[in-house]
């Protein structure tokens, strides 16, 4: 059977490409997500990869280790507090799709949780003959009884919404229920929601997201919902939200005109008023009758200048009638500083919790208001690692914080109303960390920028240029890559402790520009025509590792996902001599057509518009699909994606793999039939993807 599929795959390539020079159009048939020819190609190439990588004893060992790590009964899943309960999604061998469950928060804090099943995703999938993936439960505060459950068939961004009663633990038959679509929905009160969904022709943006915001009342057809706002089709999406702080509320309609800019509107008694915020500003939340706003660029308002990276508190009316605004209507809460790069902001009854970074190491602060004056105090939580606010009790102000680093398993702390912290849960170690050390280095990029990276390695490592090394990076969309423990849910690199470090490898996390590690400017430095600087940063890290003799090109493997998948493919095409192996996951690769595929149009503010000739000039300089050549020698590469990825089109990976195979390069390909942009829906699917990647690295780099 395999020989037949392999021959069929070759035949498809020959039919599509013929002999000689291929054109981009020769591969567009692979963009038909569920097309018979495209799926036959996927099946054939999956089978080839399974035969070459998945049948080896090495793969079997790596798969079993990966599955054991990510399925450990002692792992620490994410929790969310809703009223008196904490909720989490638990997946194991008996429940591969998961149990969404809850325990009283008091029992959880006392380290004796009693879990109650809220919904069994495996049972629901079996009953309805669909592969359901849980996408969240949005419950109306403060009772948390009326809830909206989001379910995705196969794990994509397209969701089905069902109203759910958290007291009876039953779906509400005649409630706020919607068929599968890319939907924005949020509670106003128990009888009304803000809704954006597929209302039919012309109701979605060019990016495939809702462009209308409507008010939907209980007991009426969703098609009769009252239209409040309609964005231009060139916008990314539009949505409505009611912010509440316990005493006050405010209704905001957001028109995301690009990925990085928005127009905000205040809704009062059915009337919309423009809000005079700069387009790049972000409304984070609402507290004490004021909007919590973070600035991504300098802002001049009524004679005052607020710097890039500042966090402000603003009374909404001051932004509607700025000519009447007084100085006290805007408070500069956090002034930007290299000593505290704001990463997270959360409101609570106690005040505002902020997580900041200093050279990619976290610290936490609580800002409180006394007689109208805001001050902060540092919270007694671990630092020099990754720290995040897990969930907040919006009644008391107590909260849970999560900490982890490369060698410390995820730990959950409970911070009570007196700001005393206690460790309430910790994940068991998934590898022996005692033999390893972590060092942070800085590489110099082409333009002189110092680029930080972490290296995790044996304490007795020899800098001889022969150590198998694995770099993971991303470099875009203001996403900060922080230290994460092997096998945690923050670990984007797989179970690297057991599968890589313990077997003698070095793991590297590169914090190149494009992320948010050093504030908005770290991201904006590589937008549009400056994208190449992110690749130069990455290449500088690779070269620095070689210069330090930690490794050398033939022992160096690189990996990235999504935008990171573009990163590693682009730098491979630019400088194939720097690397020994490449893993490109759920990538976008054809930068000439990316804006026409699924959600691609929403990213033009990041990359540019290839239909504009000046933009295409910089895009085509690095676009992997256009630049890969038969006359070059590239390192072995694994592409992985998902048929159900409705964000980054699987056609990117399919076309690149097909083109490189036709050119005679060493290519592995794996496409999971479900999983969405995450690439997998179950632990078994994730373990397979991880094991395939590390099999390629271990077969190639030592």
């Amino acid at each position: 059977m395999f020989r037949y599929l392999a021959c069929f795959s070759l035949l498809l390539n020959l039919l599509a490409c013929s002999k000689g020079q291929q054109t981009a159009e020769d591969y567009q048939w692979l963009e038909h997500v569920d097309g018979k020819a495209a799926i036959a190609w996927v099946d054939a190439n999956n089978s080839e990869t399974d035969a070459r990588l998945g049948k080896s004893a090495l793969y079997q060992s790596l798969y079993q280790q990966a599955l054991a790590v990510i399925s450990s009964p002692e792992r620490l899943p994410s929790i969310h507090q809703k009223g008196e309960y904490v909720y989490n999604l638990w997946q194991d061998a008996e429940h591969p799709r998961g149990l969404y469950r809850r325990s009283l928060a008091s029992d959880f804090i006392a380290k004796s949780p009693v879990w109650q099943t809220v919904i069994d995703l495996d049972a629901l999938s079996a009953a309805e003959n669909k592969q359901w993936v849980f996408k969240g439960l949005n419950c109306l505060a403060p009772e948390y009884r009326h809830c909206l459950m989001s379910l995705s068939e196969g794990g994509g961004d397209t969701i089905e919404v069902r109203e759910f009663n958290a007291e009876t633990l039953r779906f509400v038959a005649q409630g706020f229920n919607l068929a599968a679509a890319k939907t924005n929905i949020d509670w106003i009160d128990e009888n009304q929601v803000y809704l954006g969904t597929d209302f039919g022709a012309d109701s979605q943006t060019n990016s495939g997201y809702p462009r209308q915001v409507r008010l939907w009342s209980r007991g009426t057809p969703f098609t009769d919902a009252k239209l409040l706002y309609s964005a231009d089709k060139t916008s990314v999406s539009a949505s409505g939200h009611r912010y509440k702080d316990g005493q006050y509320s405010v209704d905001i309609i957001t028109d995301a005109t690009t990925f990085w800019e928005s127009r905000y509107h205040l809704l009062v008694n059915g009337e919309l008023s423009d809000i005079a915020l700069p387009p790049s500003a972000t409304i984070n939340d609402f507290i004490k009758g004021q909007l919590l706003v973070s600035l991504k660029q300098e802002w001049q308002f009524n004679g005052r200048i607020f710097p890039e990276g500042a966090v402000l508190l603003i009374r909404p009316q001051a932004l509607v009638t700025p000519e009447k605004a007084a100085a006290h209507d805007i408070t500069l809460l956090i002034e930007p500083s290299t000593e505290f790069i704001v990463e997270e902001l959360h409101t609570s009854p106690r005040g505002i919790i902020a997580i900041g970074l200093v050279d990619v190491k976290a610290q936490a602060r609580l800002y409180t208001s006394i007689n109208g004056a805001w001050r902060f105090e540092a919270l007694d939580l671990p630092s020099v690692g990754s720290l995040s606010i897990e969930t907040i009790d919006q009644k008391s102000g107590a909260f849970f914080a999560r900490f982890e680093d490369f060698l410390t398993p995820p730990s959950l702390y409970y911070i009570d109303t007196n700001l005393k912290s206690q460790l309430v849960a910790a994940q068991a170690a998934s590898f022996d960390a005692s033999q390893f050390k972590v060092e942070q280095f800085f590489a110099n990029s082409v333009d002189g920028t110092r680029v930080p990276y972490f290296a995790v390695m044996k304490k007795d490592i020899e800098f001889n240029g022969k150590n198998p090394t694995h770099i993971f990076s991303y470099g875009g969309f203001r996403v900060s890559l922080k230290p994460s423990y092997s096998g945690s849910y923050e670990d984007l690199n797989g179970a690297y402790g057991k599968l890589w470090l313990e077997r003698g490898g070095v793991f590297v996390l590169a914090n190149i520009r494009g992320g948010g590690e050093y504030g908005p400017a770290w991201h904006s430095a590589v937008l549009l025509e400056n994208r190449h600087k992110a690749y130069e940063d990455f290449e500088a890290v690779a070269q620095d590792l070689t210069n330090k003799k930690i490794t050398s090109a033939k022992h160096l493997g690189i990996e990235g996902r999504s935008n990171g998948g573009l990163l590693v493919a682009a730098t491979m095409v630019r400088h194939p001599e720097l690397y020994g192996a490449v893993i490109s996951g759920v990538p976008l690769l054809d930068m000439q057509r990316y804006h026409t595929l699924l959600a691609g149009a929403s990213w033009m503010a990041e990359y540019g518009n290839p239909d504009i000739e000046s933009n295409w000039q910089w895009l085509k300089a690095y676009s992997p699909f256009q630049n890969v050549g038969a006359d070059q020698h590239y390192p072995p590469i694994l592409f992985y994606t998902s048929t159900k990825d409705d964000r980054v089109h699987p056609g990117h990976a399919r076309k690149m793999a097909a083109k490189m195979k036709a050119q005679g390069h060493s290519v592995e390909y794996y496409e999971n039939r479900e999983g969405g942009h995450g690439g997998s829906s179950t632990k078994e699917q994730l373990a397979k993807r991880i094991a395939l990647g590390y099999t390629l690295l271990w077969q190639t780099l030592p």
Side-chain angles (χ1 to χ4, degrees), residues 410-451:
S411 304
L412 195 64
Y413 292 83
Y414 176 69
I415 297 85
D416 65 20
T417 54
N418 296 316
L419 299 186
K420 292 183 178 179
S421 64
Q422 61 171 306
L423 180 65
V424 295
Q427 182 169 303
S430 63
F431 67 102
D432 178 11
S434 65
Q435 55 187 309
F436 302 104
K437 64 180 179 180
V438 179
E439 292 193 34
Q440 187 181 40
F441 300 106
F442 291 83
N444 290 317
S445 194
V446 172
D447 63 3
T449 300
R450 295 176 74 244
V451 181

Side-chain angles (χ1 to χ4, degrees), residues 86 88 101-116 424-425:
V86 292
N88 72 27
R101 60 186 192 174
R102 70 185 183 186
S103 169
L104 287 171
S106 56
D107 290 344
F108 185 82
I109 295 164
K111 303 181 182 179
S112 56
V114 179
W115 294 108
Q116 175 189 26
V424 295

Side-chain angles (χ1 to χ4, degrees), residues 320-644:
V320 174
T321 54
E323 69 280 1
K324 298 179 181 179
H328 64 265
D329 287 332
I330 300 183
T331 300
L332 177 58
L333 181 73
I334 304 177
E335 192 162 2
S337 165
T338 57
E339 300 303 312
F340 193 81
I341 304 295
V342 176
E343 178 73 7
E344 292 183 21
L345 291 167
H346 304 268
T347 63
S348 82
R350 291 296 309 276
I352 299 167
I353 308 164
I355 304 293
L357 298 179
V358 181
D359 282 337
V360 206
K361 306 175 190 74
Q363 54 184 259
R365 296 176 177 178
L366 175 66
Y367 289 79
T368 55
S369 175
I370 299 177
N371 298 323
W374 288 87
R375 63 178 181 83
F376 78 85
E377 57 185 304
L379 295 175
D380 182 22
L381 288 167
S383 58
V384 196
S386 178
L387 183 65
S388 61
I389 303 305
E390 187 88 341
T391 188
I392 299 171
D393 183 345
Q394 291 295 343
K395 182 177 181 180
S396 70
F399 63 95
F400 294 89
R402 183 187 182 102
F403 176 81
E404 62 186 283
D405 62 30
F406 293 110
L407 303 179
T408 305
S411 304
L412 195 64
Y413 292 83
Y414 176 69
I415 297 85
D416 65 20
T417 54
N418 296 316
L419 299 186
K420 292 183 178 179
S421 64
Q422 61 171 306
L423 180 65
V424 295
Q427 182 169 303
S430 63
F431 67 102
D432 178 11
S434 65
Q435 55 187 309
F436 302 104
K437 64 180 179 180
V438 179
E439 292 193 34
Q440 187 181 40
F441 300 106
F442 291 83
N444 290 317
S445 194
V446 172
D447 63 3
T449 300
R450 295 176 74 244
V451 181
Y453 67 93
F454 293 98
V456 190
M457 50 198 164
K458 287 281 185 72
K459 290 178 179 178
D460 59 355
I461 186 174
E462 292 184 34
F463 284 13
N464 56 14
K466 299 179 181 179
N467 298 292
T469 300
H470 174 205
I471 307 179
F472 187 90
S473 195
Y474 186 77
F477 293 92
R478 212 177 285 149
V479 174
S480 301
L481 294 185
K482 294 167 286 188
S484 60
Y485 187 75
S486 170
S488 76
Y489 78 88
E490 293 286 357
D491 172 21
L492 298 175
N493 329 292
Y496 65 86
K498 181 66 68 175
L499 279 68
W500 189 248
L501 295 178
E502 284 193 350
R503 290 172 180 255
V506 175
F507 176 73
V508 172
L509 187 71
N511 300 109
I512 66 176
R513 282 175 289 181
E517 290 90 341
Y518 289 96
W522 195 249
H523 167 245
S524 61
V526 302
L527 289 178
L528 304 175
E529 71 271 20
N530 292 317
R531 198 77 198 171
H532 61 93
K533 294 184 178 181
Y535 307 146
E536 291 169 355
D537 287 0
F538 187 88
E539 291 152 8
V541 171
Q543 191 61 57
D544 199 59
L545 289 164
T546 296
N547 293 344
K548 287 183 169 63
K549 295 189 176 180
I550 293 174
T551 192
S552 57
K554 68 178 182 179
H555 302 294
L556 181 57
I558 61 175
E559 180 177 2
R561 298 183 68 256
S562 191
N563 172 76
L566 167 61
L567 161 72
V568 296
T571 189
M572 175 196 73
V573 171
R574 285 164 52 97
H575 288 289
E577 75 279 2
L578 290 178
Y579 315 112
V582 181
I583 302 172
S584 178
V586 288
L588 61 163
L589 299 167
D590 181 351
M591 300 308 289
Q592 188 169 30
R593 286 181 51 75
Y594 85 92
H595 63 315
T596 68
L597 301 173
L598 297 175
S602 65
W603 310 319
M604 288 193 290
E606 183 87 5
Y607 303 116
N609 182 351
D611 290 337
I612 299 173
E613 180 58 29
S614 60
N615 288 203
W616 174 235
Q617 290 305 309
W618 72 64
L619 285 162
K620 77 175 182 180
Y622 68 79
S623 179
F625 184 67
Q626 276 71 34
N627 283 284
V628 67
D631 57 345
Q632 294 290 326
H633 175 73
Y634 299 111
I637 185 167
L638 166 67
F639 294 103
Y640 70 83
T641 187
S642 163
T643 312
K644 288 291 188 178

Side-chain angles (χ1 to χ4, degrees), residues 206 233 288 293 353 555 673:
N206 295 338
K233 286 183 69 67
K288 295 185 180 297
V293 175
I353 308 164
H555 302 294
R673 283 302 179 83

